[in-house]
Amino acid sequence: MSTRENPAGLVVLAVDDEMAGLDEMKYRLGSNPRVGRVLTASDAAEALRLLRSDDPDLFGQRDADESIVDAVFADVSMPGLSGMELARVLTAFRNPPALVFITGHEENALEAFEVGALDYIMKPANAERIDRALRTIEKNKLQAAKGPRALEAPAPDDEEVIPVELAGTTRMIPRKDVRWVEAQGDYARLHTTEGSHLVRIPLAQLEERWAEAGFLRIHRSFLVSLSLVTELRMSSSGYSVVLGGGQPKELPVSRRHTRELKDRLVRAPRQNWGQQ
């Protein structure tokens, strides 16, 4: 089932087994000017049938598993296939649509990002949060049309949050609160002004995802927010940086990362490193 048509906008699929939730999701998506067409499905199985449909009246001519749907907005808890199981199936698509969860189940946030979700929005979803996700999807679609390059997930100017587990509770840590990240095997420890949080994300993955947001690898064990660098120090043992944004913290810079760090600091107009 679809709503209004606008060929220039995004094609999105809303999935929720509760009619009230589906109607609300359809209304929110259909009201956004970035969206040109909204399809709906009452469960994950129906969503997959739509995505794999070869009905030319619905999608036009295309190959199997090559949906023209730009994004799927789905609930997590549904009978039969759950939202997480739907996410795993979508990863097998040749060109999978972006996946955004809109749900009332906070405890699944960490798993959602592990299966590649672009965003995780808690109900009741407001227009601003939905627009933020749609803006990222729109940018990624434009980038993909220009050629093979890294897609934003999410866009650097968006407020990414990182789900962390704290005594059985999932807490969302804004990326802007992270001062530096420390590698701990296949995990990473996020250091903020309030403390540190261990997440199941390798440092190399965060390095790639956050490069455009101003984070730089300075050592095999450290990723730092360049906007917080206040000093670059040199000693007999090599270089180090001092981070502000809280209690000053000095971190070592490895020789292989020194040149890139200097170049980035010089090019960044907002930096005040070396000034008192």
Side-chain angles (χ1 to χ4, degrees), residues 12-13 25 45 54-55 62 66 75 77 84 90 109 114 121 128 150 165 176 192 194 198 226 242 265 268 271:
V12 297
L13 172 61
M25 201 184 301
D54 58 3
D55 183 353
R62 62 173 177 80
E66 194 169 15
D75 193 7
S77 180
M84 293 302 169
L90 292 181
E114 289 177 343
I121 303 174
E128 181 181 355
E165 296 287 348
K176 66 180 178 60
T192 70
E194 297 181 350
L198 193 65
L226 285 176
V242 177
L265 290 175
Q271 296 298 329

Side-chain angles (χ1 to χ4, degrees), residues 1-2 37 39 49-50 53 55-60 68:
M1 175 180 175
S2 64
R37 187 180 187 190
L39 305 172
R49 285 195 295 271
L50 281 171
S53 173
D55 183 353
D57 292 332
L58 187 61
F59 291 121
I68 65 164

Side-chain angles (χ1 to χ4, degrees), residues 179 225-233 240-250 265 271-276:
R179 301 173 66 204
S225 173
L226 285 176
S227 64
L228 297 179
V229 174
T230 59
E231 294 181 28
L232 177 61
R233 295 177 176 176
S240 64
V241 295
V242 177
L243 300 180
Q247 187 70 25
K249 176 66 178 181
E250 185 172 359
L265 290 175
Q271 296 298 329
N272 63 347
W273 60 276
Q275 299 180 10
Q276 301 297 327

Side-chain angles (χ1 to χ4, degrees), residues 13-19 21-22 25 40-48 72-87 90 99-105 108 123:
L13 172 61
V15 190
D16 197 325
D17 64 299
E18 296 183 357
M19 186 57 64
L22 186 60
M25 201 184 301
T40 61
S42 59
D43 56 39
E46 183 183 358
L48 288 173
V72 175
F73 284 71
D75 193 7
V76 169
S77 180
M78 294 183 287
L81 281 176
S82 69
M84 293 302 169
E85 291 168 326
L86 171 63
L90 292 181
L99 176 63
V100 176
F101 285 110
I102 297 183
T103 182
H105 299 272
N108 297 111
K123 293 180 179 180

Side-chain angles (χ1 to χ4, degrees), residues 8 10 13 15 45 82 103 111 137 141 164-165 175 187-188 210 216 249 255 260:
L10 296 170
L13 172 61
V15 190
S82 69
T103 182
E111 184 182 1
I137 294 165
K141 182 179 179 181
V164 299
E165 296 287 348
R175 182 180 57 199
Y187 290 70
W210 292 3
L216 181 70
K249 176 66 178 181
R255 183 175 300 176
E260 183 181 3

